[in-house]
Amino acid sequence: MKTYDETTRSGSVYLDNGTELPFGTTAFDAGPLRLLRVGQRVNIVVAGDQITYITLSTFPVPATPE
């Protein structure tokens, strides 16, 4: 987790390759979280170039249709 704004429930993450990818309120609200902290490791679901779901690394992500 690179940034997180509690007010807007949005922020950005660093991918393992160093790329920064923003996420919006919709991605945060899709998961079970109430807050995030900078530095936390997270699991994400990406569609195209947008994060559609974000949760803690210890939580499962929803199954995606193939």
Side-chain angles (χ1 to χ4, degrees), residues 32-53:
L33 302 178
R34 294 192 306 192
L35 63 97
L36 286 167
R37 285 183 285 225
V38 172
Q40 285 182 305
R41 293 197 57 79
V42 294
N43 282 334
I44 58 174
V45 175
V46 178
D49 61 350
Q50 286 193 309
I51 296 175
T52 59
Y53 186 92

Side-chain angles (χ1 to χ4, degrees), residues 1-14 20-44 51 53-56:
M1 179 64 47
K2 182 180 185 237
T3 64
Y4 176 68
D5 182 324
E6 278 188 58
T7 304
T8 64
R9 298 182 319 280
S10 62
S12 63
V13 298
Y14 271 134
E20 183 179 348
L21 193 59
F23 67 91
T25 304
T26 304
F28 183 82
D29 289 347
L33 302 178
R34 294 192 306 192
L35 63 97
L36 286 167
R37 285 183 285 225
V38 172
Q40 285 182 305
R41 293 197 57 79
V42 294
N43 282 334
I44 58 174
I51 296 175
Y53 186 92
I54 188 166
T55 192
L56 297 179

